[in-house]
Amino acid sequence: MLCTLLFVECTNAQNKKTMSTNNNPYYSRTDTNKLRVSNSEWRKILSAGVYSIAREKGTEYAFSGKYWKTDVKGMYYCAVCGNPLFRSGSKFASSCGWPSFYAAAPENVEEAEDRSHFMVRTEVLCRNCGAHLGHVFEDGPAPTGLRYCINSV
């Protein structure tokens, strides 16, 4: 299993804003309008780490992300736009080094084929802003059998 090639960025459900949302006029946990923002505009707004993952499909080191080992209850949101992505009840310990969930908010994520790094995977994207969230694999627990592997810088 090549978990070290998974990417994504999300934030926790607590009311605290993260560094990447402090000066982000597009961040909202209630606005569901699809965003059309250029990468040059995102580069001005997002921290370097969030930009690298969300817009350039980068990754964080395994076992280094903010939420890989947390069990805080609530909703996990997109760090770029605030779109709700995953409920804490679907989070599980996968031991791959990134936060893992067996289900996403289907109305808020979309999937795309990813042929990078000499393999074929399914990329997970925020439906609202297009941010790269990570990848989904078919080796997760019941009831879905899916493992959404998500970065959390």
Side-chain angles (χ1 to χ4, degrees):
M1 192 68 47
L2 295 175
C3 290
T4 58
L5 298 176
L6 303 177
F7 326 116
V8 100
E9 166 60 29
C10 60
T11 65
N12 190 288
Q14 297 176 354
N15 290 327
K16 294 183 254 179
K17 285 190 167 190
T18 64
M19 183 181 295
S20 64
T21 65
N22 287 340
N23 296 310
N24 183 347
Y26 303 104
Y27 190 92
S28 170
R29 293 190 177 170
T30 57
D31 187 357
T32 58
N33 293 319
K34 190 158 181 96
L35 295 173
R36 304 223 186 276
V37 180
S38 69
N39 279 340
S40 61
E41 181 69 14
W42 283 129
R43 187 181 296 280
K44 294 175 193 172
I45 297 168
L46 303 174
S47 70
V50 172
Y51 183 86
S52 172
I53 291 169
R55 308 312 305 170
E56 297 177 329
K57 303 179 189 227
T59 191
E60 64 195 5
Y61 290 109
F63 307 103
S64 69
K66 191 173 185 176
Y67 299 112
W68 81 269
K69 196 175 178 181
T70 189
D71 61 356
V72 174
K73 304 298 181 213
M75 179 66 76
Y76 289 79
Y77 296 87
C78 176
V80 175
C81 72
N83 197 18
L85 302 170
F86 300 94
R87 292 196 178 283
S88 60
S90 69
K91 190 172 187 293
F92 68 98
S94 69
S95 302
C96 73
W98 288 269
S100 296
F101 303 84
Y102 63 77
E107 68 280 6
N108 294 336
V109 299
E110 56 191 13
E111 298 176 359
E113 185 177 273
D114 178 0
R115 293 185 163 267
S116 64
H117 304 288
F118 308 105
M119 62 184 104
V120 179
R121 299 172 292 171
T122 302
E123 178 183 17
V124 181
L125 302 153
C126 174
R127 190 178 301 271
N128 195 36
C129 69
H132 172 75
L133 302 174
H135 293 87
V136 61
F137 300 93
E138 295 180 354
D139 62 357
T144 65
L146 299 175
R147 175 174 53 95
Y148 288 87
C149 200
I150 308 300
N151 284 312
S152 64
V153 318

